[in-house]
Amino acid sequence: MIRVQTEDFDPGAEIEQLRHRNKGQAGAVVSFIGLVRDLNAGDTVTQMTLEHYPGMTEKALSGIELEANDRWELTASIIIHRVGPLVPDDNIVFVAVASQHRQQAFRACEFMIDTLKTNAPFWKQETLPDSTRWVEPAET
Amino acid sequence: MIRVQTEDFDPGAEIEQLRHRNKGQAGAVVSFIGLVRDLNAGDTVTQMTLEHYPGMTEKALSGIELEANDRWELTASIIIHRVGPLVPDDNIVFVAVASQHRQQAFRACEFMIDTLKTNAPFWKQETLPDSTRWVEPAET
Amino acid sequence: MIQLRYFASLRESLGIGDEQIELPEDVHDLPGLTRWLQGRDATWASALANKRLHTAINQEIVKPDATVTDGDEIAWFPPVTGG
Amino acid sequence: MIQLRYFASLRESLGIGDEQIELPEDVHDLPGLTRWLQGRDATWASALANKRLHTAINQEIVKPDATVTDGDEIAWFPPVTGG
């Protein structure tokens, strides 16, 4: 399941739904939440705006989810990504998977967020106290 | 933070507390939930009982958390493990970490659950339709 | 007609997010289309000269020498930074 | 006095979870204590002969040849299966 939305999401509620989609089958649920940090490259960030490419975004996220489900045995998975204006400590992205085995769950969840970060058409613009700037891809 | 308890836990509430412990600093929260499966080694499991070694359990979990915080830069971490009788789909264990960097969060979270599974004094007894048996360590 | 889209810092540089144009007669591929757009003025010439730009046709990432066909949706954008 | 603890399948085999005993006079290490307990009867001899058992002294996992001292808490248990 994938969602792109301006409104916030509730990780607890999403995990609850995910684990009940295949009741009794999943032994492991791994989730990742990406948050807006109040500092980036040494500068105070007061706001962040997420731009995306409507249409292509949904295709890219669906493709990532499909590939993860091909590569690992998952009983359920979800990607949620917010767009629009956000402030520090806000949720940006949520990726969660359920699997019979924890190694598969960890691998799949990390694959999904890693691939999203390099392949999905989102762009972050940071508002600093005196200016705005587009975020450059992280070296990680 | 570590907790050993018979009562259930709420992953959403735990994640909420974890992420606010260092507001604005963490860019990534990774969590793992271990659940009771309704099938193990091909047999239907109707109930599971978790035995532990009170005192040593808390020492072991604190040691695991401390080592993870030594090895990775975490802004917060938590381990919760349930004991006593459980049924399929129940939560067994919760491990979550917050970090500035997602790779560190994934590595630390997986290290903590892997180490817990091999080093913390918990034992699972499964109730099958006609018998009970002690779970053998997984080969994984 | 082809649909053109520009995102993020490129959109800001160009001052436009999307437009529809007739496919120019002598344009058959992405390098040709990019050169044609760069012919508009110095701003376009400079903005589209950025070697780090990615391109999608019909919402799929494509190689720099991809073919362009009437009816296509073509997008240029800087490296993505989501997640 | 020493405190002895047995867990999980071992506890079930022995029919006892914990006990306090005087440290036997000629026992100074874990192998000695284990042999002394195995001397109780065939059930103890067999249950403690399991090579897969782990041992903790004062709630820390120890090597099979660890020293035993008066006042210690000594635990035997099968491989752990939590998480």
Side-chain angles (χ1 to χ4, degrees):
Chain A
M1 183 186 297
I2 65 136
R3 300 209 314 261
V4 180
Q5 60 191 42
T6 51
E7 53 287 11
D8 196 12
F9 52 81
D10 176 348
E14 300 299 338
I15 288 172
E16 194 63 17
Q17 285 186 23
L18 185 87
R19 52 175 294 179
H20 287 302
R21 257 195 269 164
N22 283 282
K23 202 165 177 166
Q25 284 183 40
V29 174
V30 171
S31 77
F32 172 85
I33 308 169
L35 308 170
V36 181
R37 286 174 56 196
D38 58 12
L39 200 72
N40 189 21
D43 298 307
T44 299
V45 174
T46 58
Q47 198 185 44
M48 169 171 287
T49 303
L50 259 295
E51 178 171 334
H52 77 125
Y53 182 170
M56 182 172 164
T57 307
E58 290 78 2
K59 279 192 194 180
L61 297 185
S62 294
I64 290 166
E65 189 180 40
L66 198 65
E67 188 174 348
N69 279 271
D70 276 351
R71 291 174 64 165
W72 293 281
E73 288 175 50
L74 308 181
T75 61
S77 58
I78 186 166
I79 306 175
I80 305 174
H81 205 295
R82 293 180 71 189
V83 292
L86 302 171
V87 296
D89 202 47
D90 272 356
N91 294 318
I92 303 173
V93 60
F94 180 73
V95 177
V97 304
S99 173
Q100 288 187 13
H101 305 289
R102 74 179 185 286
Q103 288 88 347
Q104 302 238 335
F106 274 108
R107 291 296 82 68
C109 187
E110 193 167 12
F111 166 83
M112 285 165 78
I113 184 62
D114 283 356
T115 310
L116 186 158
K117 284 193 177 250
T118 52
N119 289 3
F122 294 100
W123 300 274
K124 284 175 179 157
Q125 189 180 43
E126 290 175 342
T127 305
L128 310 183
D130 305 314
S131 59
T132 65
R133 69 178 173 202
W134 290 94
V135 175
E136 292 294 313
E139 340 63 46
T140 60
Chain B
M1 185 186 296
I2 65 136
R3 298 206 317 259
V4 181
Q5 60 189 43
T6 52
E7 58 275 21
D8 196 12
F9 52 80
D10 176 347
E14 299 299 339
I15 288 173
E16 193 63 16
Q17 284 186 25
L18 186 86
R19 53 175 293 180
H20 286 302
R21 257 195 270 162
N22 282 283
K23 202 165 175 166
Q25 284 183 40
V29 173
V30 171
S31 77
F32 172 85
I33 307 169
L35 308 169
V36 181
R37 286 175 54 195
D38 58 13
L39 200 73
N40 189 20
D43 298 307
T44 299
V45 175
T46 59
Q47 199 184 45
M48 170 172 284
T49 303
L50 259 295
E51 180 171 332
H52 77 126
Y53 183 170
M56 182 172 164
T57 308
E58 290 77 1
K59 279 192 194 179
L61 298 185
S62 294
I64 290 167
E65 189 180 40
L66 198 64
E67 188 174 346
N69 279 271
D70 275 352
R71 290 174 65 167
W72 293 281
E73 287 174 50
L74 308 181
T75 60
S77 58
I78 185 167
I79 305 175
I80 305 174
H81 204 297
R82 292 179 71 188
V83 293
L86 302 171
V87 296
D89 202 47
D90 271 357
N91 294 318
I92 304 173
V93 59
F94 180 74
V95 177
V97 303
S99 173
Q100 287 187 14
H101 305 289
R102 76 181 185 285
Q103 288 90 344
Q104 302 239 336
F106 273 107
R107 292 295 82 70
C109 187
E110 193 167 14
F111 166 83
M112 286 165 79
I113 183 62
D114 284 356
T115 309
L116 186 158
K117 285 196 175 248
T118 53
N119 290 2
F122 295 101
W123 300 274
K124 285 175 179 158
Q125 187 180 44
E126 290 174 342
T127 304
L128 311 182
D130 307 313
S131 60
T132 64
R133 69 178 173 203
W134 290 94
V135 175
E136 292 294 313
E139 341 63 46
T140 59
Chain C
M1 300 287 278
I2 53 176
Q3 172 83 30
L4 308 183
R5 311 191 67 165
Y6 317 103
F7 289 97
S9 54
L10 177 64
R11 173 180 55 70
E12 286 194 336
S13 301
L14 297 175
I16 184 174
D18 53 281
E19 58 178 327
Q20 284 205 327
I21 64 166
E22 292 290 344
L23 181 61
E25 254 189 32
D26 53 342
V27 166
H28 307 289
D29 57 17
L30 210 41
L33 181 58
T34 302
R35 272 195 306 276
W36 187 89
L37 289 166
Q38 287 183 295
R40 285 173 162 177
D41 68 26
T43 299
W44 286 81
S46 149
L48 291 176
N50 182 347
K51 295 289 181 209
R52 302 186 67 209
L53 291 181
H54 295 217
T55 322
I57 296 185
N58 300 324
Q59 305 185 350
E60 302 276 359
I61 298 277
V62 293
K63 298 210 170 144
D65 62 350
T67 300
V68 170
T69 312
D70 194 31
D72 280 351
E73 173 177 316
I74 302 129
W76 286 259
F77 46 80
V80 305
T81 54
Chain D
M1 301 288 280
I2 53 175
Q3 172 84 29
L4 307 183
R5 311 192 68 167
Y6 317 103
F7 289 97
S9 53
L10 177 65
R11 172 181 55 71
E12 286 194 336
S13 300
L14 298 175
I16 184 175
D18 54 281
E19 58 179 325
Q20 284 205 329
I21 64 167
E22 292 290 344
L23 180 61
E25 256 191 29
D26 54 342
V27 165
H28 307 289
D29 56 19
L30 210 40
L33 180 59
T34 303
R35 272 195 306 275
W36 186 89
L37 289 166
Q38 288 182 296
R40 285 173 161 178
D41 68 24
T43 300
W44 286 80
S46 151
L48 291 177
N50 182 347
K51 295 288 183 211
R52 302 186 68 209
L53 291 180
H54 295 215
T55 323
I57 296 185
N58 300 325
Q59 305 184 350
E60 303 275 359
I61 299 276
V62 292
K63 298 209 170 146
D65 63 349
T67 301
V68 170
T69 312
D70 194 31
D72 279 351
E73 172 177 316
I74 301 127
W76 288 259
F77 46 80
V80 304
T81 54

